[in-house]
Amino acid sequence: MSEELVFHFDVDGEDFTSAGQASVQIKKILRRLGLSPEIIRRVSIAMYEGEINMVIHAGGGVADVRVFEDYIELVLKDKGPGISDINKAMQEGYSTATDTIRSLGFGAGMGLPNMKRYSDTMEINSVVGEGTEIKMRVNIR
């Protein structure tokens, strides 16, 4: 696999039942490409957490996954309210989710920490009032 493979997903921000579809699709794709179960698990978890965050906080967004020979890059973008304090948002248990979201079983404040935990590198660029872009990389080798 010398050239990159690119996969694009639209994340619907209106529907919690469809949240996670992109991570299920990318899991199937990576399995077909013959990647190790551990790599697939890490990418799937990071992707799922990002999708859920986009649904909860930003009304949806887009996710692009690029598969290279040595690594997988995930780029998640939304046009939500942005993250005002990234350091605080990275703390396990910190959440700005509403009580309604929490009553659905989401918003425990583990999304960003888990995205960081399951990726090898993670960058967050966020502008309040404009949105957030998160780039993650999972090394294959």
Side-chain angles (χ1 to χ4, degrees), residues 8-15 18-23 47 50-55 58-63 76-77:
H8 177 82
F9 303 95
D10 292 310
V11 179
D12 181 359
E14 301 297 313
D15 185 10
S18 70
Q21 284 184 349
S23 57
M47 180 82 160
E51 279 181 85
I52 293 298
N53 275 359
M54 285 193 278
V55 172
V62 296
L76 310 170
K77 295 180 189 175

Side-chain angles (χ1 to χ4, degrees), residues 14-39:
E14 301 297 313
D15 185 10
F16 269 98
T17 58
S18 70
Q21 284 184 349
S23 57
V24 169
Q25 288 177 348
I26 203 63
K27 181 189 275 189
K28 288 177 184 173
I29 290 166
L30 297 178
R31 198 175 286 140
R32 269 184 265 150
L33 291 173
L35 281 113
S36 77
E38 177 60 16
I39 296 297

Side-chain angles (χ1 to χ4, degrees), residues 22-83:
S23 57
V24 169
Q25 288 177 348
I26 203 63
K27 181 189 275 189
K28 288 177 184 173
I29 290 166
L30 297 178
R31 198 175 286 140
R32 269 184 265 150
L33 291 173
L35 281 113
S36 77
E38 177 60 16
I39 296 297
I40 294 169
R41 185 177 78 84
R42 291 177 62 210
V43 170
S44 298
I45 292 170
M47 180 82 160
Y48 177 79
E49 294 286 10
E51 279 181 85
I52 293 298
N53 275 359
M54 285 193 278
V55 172
I56 291 173
H57 301 290
V62 296
D64 291 301
V65 179
R66 291 178 181 84
V67 181
F68 296 90
E69 199 168 327
D70 295 332
Y71 64 93
I72 299 165
E73 179 184 71
L74 299 95
V75 180
L76 310 170
K77 295 180 189 175
D78 67 55
K79 292 186 179 357
I83 303 170

Side-chain angles (χ1 to χ4, degrees), residues 38 61 91 105 122:
E38 177 60 16
Q91 293 175 14
M122 182 170 115

Side-chain angles (χ1 to χ4, degrees), residues 16 53 56-57 93-103 106-109:
F16 269 98
N53 275 359
I56 291 173
H57 301 290
Y94 175 79
S95 179
T96 58
T98 64
D99 288 340
T100 304
I101 298 295
R102 289 172 195 262
S103 73
F106 300 101

